[in-house]
Amino acid sequence: MSLKDLIVNDRPISVSFEFSPPKTDEAEASLWTAIKRLEPLQPAFVSVTYGAGGSTRERTHATVKRIVEETSLEPAAHLTCVAASRSEIDEIVQGYWGAGIRHIVALRGDMPGMEGPYQAHPDGYRSTPELIAGIRRIAPFEVSVSFYPERHPDSPNHHHDVELLKAKVDAGASRALGQFSFDNEATARFRDDAARAGVAVPIVPGVMPTTAFRGVERMASRCGASIPAWLSRAYDGLDDDVESRRIVAAAVLADQVQQLRGLGFDQYHFYTLNQANLSYAACRLLGLTPKDLS
Ligand SMILES: Cc1cc2nc3c(=O)[nH]c(=O)nc-3n(C[C@H](O)[C@H](O)[C@H](O)COP(=O)(O)OP(=O)(O)OC[C@H]3O[C@@H](n4cnc5c(N)ncnc54)[C@H](O)[C@@H]3O)c2cc1C
């Protein structure tokens, strides 16, 4: 698909943006600048992550609550099974419903500090499908979940990943958000295999801007995403040259959404890293135009 066909395209499109709860006043100001810049693009929802082991419980709650109160956006709160009993998690879920949150991104999560193999809390939800069922018992939340185009590090194989997504959907999930991946063919393969296995929910690629390339490499090594040799080569020698990294990242992102659109994807989940510019530009290339909210 050419850049022109990407921008001028009649197929409906929908995007979502992921943010992390800020740690400082300065980070909070920067997050809100990003949220306000992206709001006119009218994303389907914006999601707010939950720190490993529940370490951002209060900050995640405060951020989604402020999004409900101060914007036209629909927030989705991430929630993991880690380091909490069922009753503690149920209390958080009830708090979200009371605060007007209607969408949860339900996850297994990782051990605090990514230390050691995953171990379910003795009184906790033991898996993501169990967590989803627990959430849906409390209230009719919309539930999104993860999928891994290149296999989760704890998964024995691709078939297991597809079957696990099916179990999550059977438990009540209605959308799968992809771990970031630069292997667009793998993402399309996952979508097609999931459809063949009877998974009938949107499979949404996760798109990660690469300006902070060394950080992206670190994240990739933890989550099972591969870094292609051509991408490393593009960033080679640019560690101290942020301006060139920004230009490379914009080109990489434009190429990726172009390829994904060509593969038939009409929904995208952007890992914004709390910065608006690249995600905003990619949405413009996908043909989205901002709405005047005044
Ligand atoms: C869209 C998205 C958003 C995310 N948001 C957050 C976030 O906000 N906070 C955060 O901390 N992390 C987040 N993560 C990262 C995620 O928590 C980790 O990747 C985690 O390792 C897996 O969680 P999951 O829900 O994807 O796992 P699942 O897809 O449920 O499972 C992953 C693998 O673990 C296996 N598994 C399940 N239970 C066990 C067990 N008891 N023992 C061993 N293996 C088991 C499964 O069989 C499967 O192979 C996010 C990931 C994605 C893709």
Side-chain angles (χ1 to χ4, degrees):
M1 177 178 277
S2 71
L3 204 52
K4 180 183 134 221
D5 290 338
L6 182 70
I7 298 166
V8 184
N9 191 319
D10 288 340
R11 263 164 45 210
I13 184 150
S14 129
V15 297
S16 50
F17 300 116
E18 182 171 311
F19 302 107
S20 304
K23 287 195 184 113
T24 62
D25 289 350
E26 198 188 352
E28 170 136 18
S30 146
L31 167 67
W32 278 86
T33 303
I35 291 176
K36 288 291 176 189
R37 175 136 167 83
L38 294 167
E39 184 179 11
L41 293 173
Q42 300 198 286
F45 64 95
V46 295
S47 77
V48 180
T49 61
Y50 191 74
S55 55
T56 66
R57 176 176 166 170
E58 277 77 26
R59 282 187 281 128
T60 300
H61 194 285
T63 306
V64 287
K65 194 159 172 279
R66 188 169 166 197
I67 290 171
V68 166
E69 288 166 357
E70 296 184 21
T71 74
S72 60
L73 299 166
E74 180 203 305
H78 292 216
L79 184 61
T80 70
C81 305
V82 176
S85 66
R86 283 173 187 238
S87 59
E88 285 166 335
I89 288 179
D90 291 355
E91 200 185 306
I92 295 170
V93 173
Q94 278 151 358
Y96 281 141
W97 190 262
I101 316 300
R102 298 290 178 263
H103 186 168
I104 290 180
V105 180
L107 300 145
R108 184 201 80 174
D110 292 311
M111 300 310 282
M114 304 280 287
E115 296 282 327
Y118 182 79
Q119 278 190 321
H121 185 284
D123 301 319
Y125 289 109
R126 284 167 304 165
S127 68
T128 311
E130 272 195 12
L131 172 64
I132 298 162
I135 292 168
R136 301 269 300 171
R137 263 196 301 277
I138 290 169
F141 281 97
E142 182 175 352
V143 178
S144 296
V145 291
S146 67
F147 78 94
Y148 294 82
E150 299 177 71
R151 200 168 63 77
H152 184 277
D154 294 345
S155 164
N157 54 51
H158 171 74
H159 176 72
H160 172 89
D161 280 352
V162 172
E163 287 302 310
L164 178 58
L165 177 58
K166 190 163 186 306
K168 293 179 192 180
V169 172
D170 290 346
S174 57
R175 178 188 296 97
L177 304 172
Q179 181 57 277
F180 75 86
S181 170
F182 302 102
D183 188 342
N184 302 319
E185 298 290 339
T187 305
R189 201 159 46 244
F190 191 98
R191 172 197 61 193
D192 297 344
D193 289 345
R196 269 191 288 276
V199 174
V201 302
I203 303 292
V204 184
V207 183
M208 173 72 87
T210 51
T211 320
F213 184 64
R214 296 293 167 215
V216 172
E217 275 185 322
R218 276 193 299 279
M219 282 186 266
S221 70
R222 289 201 297 260
C223 73
S226 59
I227 298 286
W230 62 263
L231 188 58
S232 299
R233 184 167 161 177
Y235 281 103
D236 197 17
L238 295 184
D239 287 358
D240 299 324
D241 182 353
V242 68
E243 206 40 55
S244 297
R245 278 193 277 120
R246 282 199 190 107
I247 295 167
V248 171
V252 168
L253 196 56
D255 179 64
Q256 180 164 30
V257 293
Q258 212 167 334
Q259 285 196 30
L260 287 167
R261 194 82 160 133
L263 287 163
F265 287 99
D266 296 331
Q267 299 188 30
Y268 301 84
H269 185 65
F270 286 94
Y271 291 97
T272 68
L273 307 175
N274 292 3
Q275 303 287 321
N277 284 351
L278 279 179
S279 302
Y280 186 88
C283 289
R284 297 304 305 261
L285 293 178
L286 282 163
L288 281 177
T289 48
K291 190 177 165 206
D292 182 0
L293 297 174
S294 58

